[in-house]
Amino acid sequence: MSQLKTYSELSRLRTLEERFNYLKLNGIPTNPTFGGRRLLNQTFYQSPEWRRVRRDVILRDAGCEMGLEPFEIPGVVYIHHLNPITYEDILQRDQKLLDPENLICVSFDMHEAIHYSNSEILKMYKLVPRTPNDTCPWK
Ligand SMILES: [Zn+2]
């Protein structure tokens, strides 16, 4: 098994590319959500504890892609578990479900890319020109 990933380590990396390479899962199969398991997932993601931690992580990361300014996520913010959670983790309310050290803000596309190790997404960012006002507005 690979070494545990942490937000503290991730936050020391200063480019999207480095952060992506740190986070990507290299096709490790993770948390399939089907049947009764999907229901359990939904229950977890609707719980007050999850909503509170989610809000805290979005504030910490200023709503930015992999927590890196100034790459503010334009649409829905997804919260990715650095060390993917399993069905058993949810059943047992494992600490890593709600530990901010195990959580990071990502866009939908980046989330897919992390899970399926598709580095094509980084090209998207290189095509976007940086502007002087291109920062997270609340930082
Ligand atoms: Zn994820």
Side-chain angles (χ1 to χ4, degrees):
M1 236 356 244
S2 59
Q3 202 182 330
L4 283 185
K5 298 173 185 183
T6 64
Y7 171 76
S8 300
E9 259 183 15
L10 176 74
S11 63
R12 286 196 280 273
L13 306 173
R14 301 316 308 164
T15 67
L16 285 170
E17 196 157 14
E18 286 175 292
R19 290 195 182 201
F20 174 75
N21 284 328
Y22 181 79
L23 290 173
K24 69 180 179 183
L25 293 170
N26 294 314
I28 300 164
T30 52
N31 202 26
T33 53
F34 46 78
R37 299 193 171 200
R38 172 170 290 174
L39 191 64
L40 184 69
N41 270 332
Q42 284 172 358
T43 303
F44 169 65
Y45 287 113
Q46 287 165 4
S47 68
E49 307 94 280
W50 171 253
R51 286 167 189 259
R52 187 164 49 242
V53 170
R54 181 181 186 279
R55 191 192 55 215
D56 290 348
V57 169
I58 291 173
L59 283 172
R60 181 196 67 190
D61 296 344
C64 288
E65 188 73 274
M66 298 182 286
L68 186 63
E69 294 185 68
F71 301 100
E72 195 186 344
I73 297 165
V76 178
V77 175
Y78 287 75
I79 308 291
H80 169 67
H81 287 88
L82 275 69
N83 303 286
I85 57 171
T86 64
Y87 176 68
E88 286 69 28
D89 292 332
I90 296 178
L91 271 182
Q92 294 160 16
R93 294 267 156 176
D94 192 281
Q95 164 70 11
K96 73 181 184 183
L97 294 173
L98 298 170
D99 181 1
E101 274 290 318
N102 194 34
L103 300 170
I104 191 72
C105 288
V106 289
S107 64
F108 175 81
D109 288 341
M110 185 61 78
H111 193 228
E112 293 285 295
I114 287 168
H115 279 269
Y116 302 107
S117 293
N118 175 11
S119 61
E120 287 295 298
I121 186 154
L122 293 170
K123 290 181 187 163
M124 241 170 67
Y125 285 92
K126 286 170 184 150
L127 293 173
V128 178
R130 299 275 289 272
T131 68
N133 297 322
D134 190 16
T135 55
C136 294
W138 56 84
K139 273 237 166 161

